[in-house]
Amino acid sequence: MYNTVILFVFTIFGVVFGSFYNVVLYRIPNDIPISKGRSMCAKCGHPLNAADLVPIFSWLFLGGRCRYCKDSISAQYPVIELVTGLLFALAWLTQPSIIGAVFYSALWSMLLIVAIMDFKSMLIAESVLAVFSVLFLACILWLKQPITSHLLGGFLGFGVYLAIYLIAKAFYKKEAFGFGDVELMASIGFALGLRGSVETMLLSFYISVMGIIIMKLLGKAVKSGIEIPFGPYMCIAAFAASLFEQPIYDLYIRLIKG
């Protein structure tokens, strides 16, 4: 009974946080302060009241349209709320403690926000990484985990991706690899520790190659010189590494040994 109640609470909190993440995803790319005033319709600018802001249900009851201007509202809003709720539930189901579940809820929240923001706006916000990194540190200290592995993971992720950033910039004579990716890898490496950092870096390149192949198979043009956000691939890789760190490690060892 206790576990069921906590699972329900985590899921509801996830849905509510997902509603806030929608605000973050809209305001940061548009240079609107997070704390600035009430939420409003992105189309007509009318302030939204409490009945318009109930996660998932308001969108469903309004038929995906603004109550005031009747313009359509992106399905992204309920989808983000639902996905965040499921991620929070998964965190509780896979972790042995509430703080552990909070840690992974925060990690997966960061990955979700970054992946969508980078995909839609080619932007990785330093403020988002900073806030979640502080949460990671608090959870790591609370759980009394060895901080050394996390620091090494952060430094390794930052160092490797900084080298890639500098080499790419020197080769192409322009910024061909975003510095936001460097900062994201540092944050992911700090959260997952040394082994998780290595796994994420390796997986992210495999996943990006698979993504490009899939786009080509679907007939989407992938031309040289066209910017492709790398952040979503890193976030998918980090999510996989956080859930399946040991199996991924075992697979790499088997491949190395032949």
Side-chain angles (χ1 to χ4, degrees):
M1 181 65 178
Y2 171 78
N3 286 335
T4 302
V5 171
I6 299 298
L7 175 62
F8 177 77
V9 170
F10 259 81
T11 304
I12 296 301
F13 266 100
V15 171
V16 172
F17 272 96
S19 182
F20 174 68
Y21 297 161
N22 277 319
V23 175
V24 173
L25 287 166
Y26 174 73
R27 293 195 176 189
I28 288 181
N30 289 287
D31 292 322
I32 302 173
I34 299 297
S35 59
K36 183 180 179 180
R38 294 167 55 187
S39 294
M40 60 184 65
C41 174
K43 305 292 176 61
C44 68
H46 194 289
L48 305 180
N49 60 39
D52 303 319
L53 296 172
V54 179
I56 300 176
F57 292 105
S58 287
W59 189 89
L60 292 174
F61 290 153
L62 293 171
R65 295 188 176 277
C66 173
R67 183 192 303 273
Y68 310 100
C69 68
K70 306 305 179 184
D71 206 339
S72 62
I73 301 172
S74 173
Q76 171 189 303
Y77 291 92
V79 170
I80 294 296
E81 292 161 357
L82 177 60
V83 169
T84 308
L86 294 175
L87 289 176
F88 274 51
L90 181 62
W92 168 249
L93 291 172
T94 57
Q95 300 307 310
S97 69
I98 290 180
I99 299 301
V102 169
F103 174 83
Y104 280 94
S105 295
L107 173 61
W108 295 339
S109 292
M110 183 189 78
L111 299 178
L112 179 65
I113 293 171
V114 169
I116 294 172
M117 189 179 296
D118 195 27
F119 179 77
K120 294 184 67 176
S121 307
M122 297 290 289
L123 171 68
I124 296 178
E126 292 181 350
S127 57
V128 171
L129 301 180
V131 168
F132 280 105
S133 293
V134 171
L135 288 174
F136 301 154
L137 177 60
C139 290
I140 290 167
L141 294 177
W142 186 289
L143 293 169
K144 298 181 180 179
Q145 294 182 354
I147 195 69
T148 305
S149 175
H150 292 278
L151 291 174
L152 288 174
F155 285 129
L156 178 66
F158 181 83
V160 170
Y161 271 54
L162 178 62
I164 295 173
Y165 169 83
L166 294 174
I167 292 170
K169 189 173 183 178
F171 183 80
Y172 291 104
K173 308 301 181 184
K174 63 178 182 178
E175 189 173 277
F177 189 84
F179 193 75
D181 296 326
V182 179
E183 297 171 320
L184 173 60
M185 193 60 238
S187 184
I188 290 173
F190 176 67
L192 295 182
L194 187 57
R195 191 162 76 177
S197 179
V198 173
E199 290 183 1
T200 298
M201 286 188 284
L202 292 172
L203 278 175
S204 62
F205 288 104
Y206 295 144
I207 293 172
S208 66
V209 171
M210 290 173 57
I212 292 173
I213 292 173
I214 291 172
M215 284 191 287
K216 284 184 174 292
L217 291 175
L218 293 175
K220 295 185 179 293
V222 183
K223 302 177 182 178
S224 61
I226 299 297
E227 291 187 357
I228 299 175
F230 192 63
Y233 299 120
M234 296 169 63
C235 292
I236 294 171
F239 178 70
S242 67
L243 269 180
F244 308 110
E245 180 179 309
Q246 189 61 46
I248 292 172
Y249 174 78
D250 294 339
L251 176 61
Y252 275 128
I253 294 300
R254 288 198 298 271
L255 291 174
I256 291 171
K257 291 181 178 180

